[in-house]
Amino acid sequence: MGRMIGTAIVGMLFAGFIAIDLMVFGVVGLDSPVLVVALVVGLLGGGLGGWAVNRRRGRALATS
Amino acid sequence: MNRLVIIAFAAAALLISAPTAAGAQSVGSCSGSATIDDSSGGSPVTVDLTEPAGTIVIPRAGTVVWQGGVPGPPGDYSGSVSVALPAPFGGVTVQNWGGTTETTSNNGDYSYDIPSIVPAGATITVKATHTDANGSCSGSFDLTIAGSTIASPLAWGSLVLTVLAGGGLAALLAPLVKGGR
């Protein structure tokens, strides 16, 4: 659970910074919803990735 | 947030009289125009409500000479200028006005100097509304600061943080690729 939460937070930060980059460099406007969307997608995607890692580790331990 | 306010306040000089500003979209009978003189010697920028423009590129520092008017005595009037932010944040009001007058036009000038930390190239949408006895006017326009984006430490900082966060995410997800622990 710890890895899943940690990965979700880092994923959110990563997606958020990408969105900020897009705004700073003028690719999207300051009022674009891309920042909010990126934060949500990063949070969910990161959490899903963390869950997948936990699942894989669980399988590896079970077969060892 | 103060950086946004500084930028928008400069833009608000285009709108600060009764009418809406020059820009991409406008509704109503207000009129207005402004000329921005570049303090570093660049070419002045002129915008006019009757000649909608795309994104307005403004100098980082300069003086805005503005004028505007309405067709008849305004009576009780009110209005505001705001910077649009992404949902759910809405916008930040950077200037508002109100009162009672019979004057149908106004003009003035405003000097500004946007700090170097504010990156050039970012597109900022400024919205304005004005209501008086003649009706309501509203307008919006996009503006960006002239110059190089990478000259701003904010741009570099944002890129560095993106790389750091990406590296952290890659490390956390590495077991998926490697198949290890």
Side-chain angles (χ1 to χ4, degrees), chain A residues 3 6-7 10-11 13-14 17-18 20-21 23-36 45-46 49-50 52-53 56-57 60-61 64, chain B residues 4 83-89 119-125 149-150 154-155 158-159 161-162 165-166 168-169 171-173 175-177 179-181:
Chain A
R3 177 183 283 265
T7 309
V10 176
L13 290 175
F14 179 56
F17 285 132
I18 288 177
I20 292 173
D21 289 338
M23 290 180 174
V24 166
F25 285 89
V27 178
V28 298
L30 192 68
D31 60 339
S32 168
V34 70
L35 177 60
V36 175
V53 169
R56 173 163 288 202
R57 294 178 77 191
L61 289 173
S64 61
Chain B
L4 297 178
V83 173
L85 297 176
F89 304 111
T123 304
I124 300 162
T125 300
T149 303
I150 58 174
L154 186 65
S158 178
L159 286 174
L161 289 172
T162 302
L169 186 63
L172 286 168
L173 297 178
L176 282 179
V177 179
R181 299 177 187 179

Side-chain angles (χ1 to χ4, degrees), chain B residues 33 54 70 79 100 120 157 174:
Chain B
S33 64
V70 290
T100 302

